[in-house]
Amino acid sequence: MSLDFSTPLFEVIRDEKKCIQCKVCVKQCSNKVHSYDEEENLVKADDIKCVNCHRCVLLCPTRALSIKKYSLEFRENANWTGQAINEIYKQADTGGVLLTSMGNPKPFPIYWDKMLLNASQVTNPSIDPLREPMETRVMIGRKPDSLEYDKKGKLITQLPPQLELSAPILFSAMSYGSISRNAHESLARAATELGICYNTGEGGLNRDFYKYGPNTIVQVASGRFGVSREYLNAGAAIEIKIGQGAKPGIGGHLPGRKVDEDVSATRMIPIGSDAISPAPHHDIYSIEDLRQLIYSLKETSGYKKPVFVKIAAVHNAAAIASGVVRAGADAVVVDGFRGGTGAAPLRVRDNVGIPIELALAAIDQRLREEGIRNQASLVIAGSVRNSADIVKAIALGADAVYIGSAALLAIGCHMCHSCSTGKCNWGIATQEPELVKRLNPDIMYKRLVNLVTAWNHEIQELIGGMGINAIDSLRGNRLMLRGVGLNEKELEILGIKHAGE
Amino acid sequence: MKYVIIGNSAAGVNAAEAIRKNDAKGTVTIISDEEFSAYGRPLISYYLEGKVKAENMFYRDDNFYKSRNINAVLNTKAEKIDVKNKTVSANTGKKYAYDKLLIATGSVPFIPQTQGLSNQENVFTFLTYKESRRLKETINKKSKVVIVGAGLIGLKAAEGLFGQVESITVLDLADRVMASVLDKSAGALIQNHIERNDIDFKLGVSVKEVIGQSKVSKIVLSDGSELLCDILIMAVGVRPNVELAKGAGIKINRAIIVDEYLQTSQKDIYAAGDCVESWDCLSNVCKILALWPNASNQGETAGYNMSAGNKQKAPVAFAMNAISFFGLQLISAGIIGQADKDSIFDISSNKLRRLNIVDDKLIGYVLINDQQRAGIYTALINDKTKLSSLEYDIKAKDIGLSVYPKESRTCKIWGKNQ
Amino acid sequence: MKKVYAFENRCLGCGICEVYCKTAHSKSKDVIKANKNENVTSAIVIEEILQPKAISYFALQCRHCADAKCVKACISGAMYKDENGIVRNKEEKCVCCLSCLLVCPFGAVKKSKKGKTVSKCDLCIEVGEPQCVLHCPNDAIKVLDDKEAEALK
């Protein structure tokens, strides 16, 4: 049968006056959109293959290319949108679950954009970070209930292990396998230069990257891929992944074709085999079970490294976080529903989980009420887009934030939502050598360093404006936030006043 | 130090340049029996054709001699070398003392004994700019030109004259063109191409008699036929110009014998270029390799050794040619051997790629209109590279640097020759 | 001296270097006019290397050899080494005999499309810096001096 209901999403526009038939687009498009017709000396495009990744647009030496939405109208219907209809066609065609990538794109409220920051005027004067010292360093880990000093003023209390970060930013867990070796190298080198950390994700740690250990967080997830005593001791902290914001309740699946020799060695699985991470950890059915895993990891690493537990922001996140802290985690990571992923079922991505802002406020509030907020750091993830989001997160109670999508954008991601195809034209979400090559870590790690350096400076300016000279003084300081256009309930959960109050 | 160089072409000029690099103070004298500054000798056919103007004939820029403080004594024939007193005497009566001497006298045209040939004013050779200029002045639209010799020189002369005269006939004793350089298939391809441009060939014949009183009007061929002729170009071949060396008691075989440092049998006398016998590293014999690149290389080496002591060995050499006829581009190198099916890899009416492979090594090739990266083949010959050590079969596809394994390729690109 | 070096592990074979090489050596110096209307020959050769896993590429230009064979082989004196060590070709003197092409062990001299001269890398001396390097999207070609190159070997 040749009847196919799929229609192009994008249209490639080529200005023939500018096209020089250099074929750069032909050579660069891994989706084979462009082709050269020798007979007519024309470069042509097959729109249906285009994912709008901009690779050709940016590399075209004469700027002859642009991409537009394919102008095909469905009969106007607020309920049955073009997308909804297309999804039906696709599933009727394949009989399968719709797979997609990146974070929830639906127009749910973005609370970051409904909160505004304070600034000092007259009293408690603002501070200029270019003139005065400013502290953005944070320590992630359990803090003791009280501190004891000897007569000479020396600290007697033994401090639990702490992870020092020069800025309240970490690179999110993205496994080697889901992203390329060069992408990993860029993240690792940038983290090292910046004095922050990147996270291995559930893909193990390649031998070649052990040298970045002091700036690495090693992850243990339900598939336990790549986990060994050496691995657990290779990083600066260990993270147990229970859930992920983009697909709470769902496991992971790295297709066998992405498991090449190097990935196989890193994950400790046979070449070409599918790497399936189950939805739950099969040895964790209770907080007590989680405590066992936390302590076995602490035991293995000699109680020298903080152990993080990452959960997805779901309805009863606050209660779960409380359990996680009581289970002995040194940090709780909460990942909101807009967090990205390499591959997730579309229905899950778009319909499961809650906004990170609300989860964060609720968790911080709950831990305070229970008097255990000091027992663990709180790290949030799930679409932190800029430095203001970070400042707002810290004011709501976070210690630090993970950035994933933003980091990928810095190294070339164009949010084309096609990670799961493995044909990433920017060399990020792919294992094909000629595509991986496109991501030059020498160039890209500097872009990550630039991004975090810029954000860190902006954070200093924002908190300096509030008259605060250390990030620690902002943490949980919700008076620095005011809501705009929020209802009473939302303000109550966020624990903030409305603007003007 | 006094350096004297006899000869002002590729070998002489490159020697002078090399000497000046090592020795800024010594006197360098070039003696030449030609009246011009050094010129690109192979350009004389381009000049004849009008493709190269007089101002672009010169091998080096205008102030070459002056800027390097080289004393160029032109239009002067070196007549005798006095080995004992280390002087060169010239036809002007002047004597030039030397500490180191280079003989770079090149070749002279070979003119076979032919009845009626001597003292005819419209007979030309085709080896010097002077002859090319004289020829250009003499010809007109009605000239009937006969060229004796279908070698490189004869054919280039034909090309140079094309369109400027009424008819051109090329004779050769051999049964094909460029017999000494090309095999039959390549020769035939070139001959066909040239014939298409209205040039007649008479092969397998020689000139029996030249007829005319002080001016040739007709020639009689060995097969008894006759040809009307008012311009006769003798391009049978060249002989190394060794008279001067012979007079100095220097050892000579077919040409001047030199050691690996290009020194002759006489101390402090060096020789380079077309007048010496070079070691052909492919056939492993000494032979005359009258080639421009070889002459420049030898000139440079000789100059270096004259000024810095015998330190540099003459570069290995083998036959090679790059030449075009009426837009047909021919490149060949090494031992070409006989063409057979096993050695021709691509052939069409105006294209040919033939590689001569013996014992896992490339020893020669002919490329016609297919030459973008011929130098890599030349390097394979030069380095005696084992073809089985390469990344792909060189017969199967166009050559590229990717033929080398990664390690040696990287070595080459990064500027180290393994 | 400074010259252009290629990094195989970075080269994408995209051909942008060729586009800008042609532009730099065109009359108009305009990327569209140069590539569309002017028949310029790129002095860069992009070679494909077939590897077991993937196709790899590298871009190759004149190596500006210390002892340049092409200069020695040139019959017209068109090919020369300038005072900076750059091997250059005087187009007005070149007769396109291809003697240089015959001897270049890198295959880095090309017959120009117009057939009247040869095309080779001159490090964009007339434009300023090598345009291929400036426009390479992946830092796969770099201008390095001898010391820098030695360090990266």
Side-chain angles (χ1 to χ4, degrees), chain B residues 52-122:
Chain B
V52 171
K53 300 267 169 343
E55 67 266 23
N56 280 332
M57 281 298 286
F58 298 101
Y59 185 48
R60 291 292 182 256
D61 54 35
D62 292 345
N63 65 350
F64 171 75
Y65 299 101
K66 211 177 163 192
S67 65
R68 284 172 177 71
N69 193 19
I70 295 165
N71 179 24
V73 184
L74 304 180
N75 220 353
T76 300
K77 190 168 168 53
E79 286 187 320
K80 196 173 170 269
I81 301 169
D82 182 341
V83 179
K84 233 184 207 171
N85 297 311
K86 287 192 155 184
T87 56
V88 177
S89 38
N91 62 347
T92 51
K94 266 196 178 171
K95 278 190 182 175
Y96 299 90
Y98 68 84
D99 295 311
K100 302 274 180 187
L101 174 67
L102 177 69
I103 302 174
T105 45
S107 314
V108 284
F110 166 63
I111 299 170
Q113 286 286 324
T114 311
Q115 196 182 337
L117 185 65
S118 51
N119 298 320
Q120 304 280 15
E121 62 182 65
N122 53 349

Side-chain angles (χ1 to χ4, degrees), chain B residues 8 60-61 81 106 126 174 216 230 235 279 283 312 322 412 418:
Chain B
N8 187 25
R60 291 292 182 256
D61 54 35
I81 301 169
F126 199 60
V216 180
D230 41 34
W279 180 256
S283 52
Q312 201 169 301
K412 278 172 195 291
Q418 286 179 286

Side-chain angles (χ1 to χ4, degrees), chain C residues 60 77 93 108-109 116 129 143:
Chain C
L60 179 82
K93 288 194 84 175
V109 188
K116 286 184 181 153
E129 59 188 309
V143 189

Side-chain angles (χ1 to χ4, degrees), chain A residues 16-17 434 437-438 440, chain C residues 8-11 36 54 138:
Chain A
E16 293 302 342
K17 277 187 197 146
E434 60 264 46
K437 222 180 189 189
R438 296 180 181 183
N440 182 344
Chain C
E8 268 180 35
N9 60 336
R10 301 275 185 243
C11 180
K36 222 171 175 158
N138 211 36

Side-chain angles (χ1 to χ4, degrees), chain A residues 15-24 27-28 55 59-62 182 185 189 260-262 433-435 437-443, chain C residues 7-16 18-20 31-36 46 51 53-58 136-140 142:
Chain A
D15 184 343
E16 293 302 342
K17 277 187 197 146
K18 288 180 178 171
C19 178
I20 54 171
Q21 287 86 36
C22 66
K23 306 189 238 355
V24 168
K27 290 180 227 167
Q28 287 292 297
R55 180 78 188 177
L59 262 68
C60 175
T62 61
N182 285 1
E185 185 184 330
R189 283 168 65 182
D260 65 11
E261 206 180 316
D262 214 26
E434 60 264 46
L435 297 176
K437 222 180 189 189
R438 296 180 181 183
L439 199 167
N440 182 344
D442 294 343
I443 302 173
Chain C
F7 294 77
E8 268 180 35
N9 60 336
R10 301 275 185 243
C11 180
L12 311 176
C14 67
I16 288 179
E18 288 184 320
V19 169
Y20 285 99
V31 63
I32 296 175
K33 283 183 195 159
N35 286 272
K36 222 171 175 158
I46 296 181
Q51 289 179 338
K53 275 192 192 163
I55 305 168
S56 176
Y57 304 88
F58 61 93
C136 176
N138 211 36
D139 275 2
K142 289 183 183 173

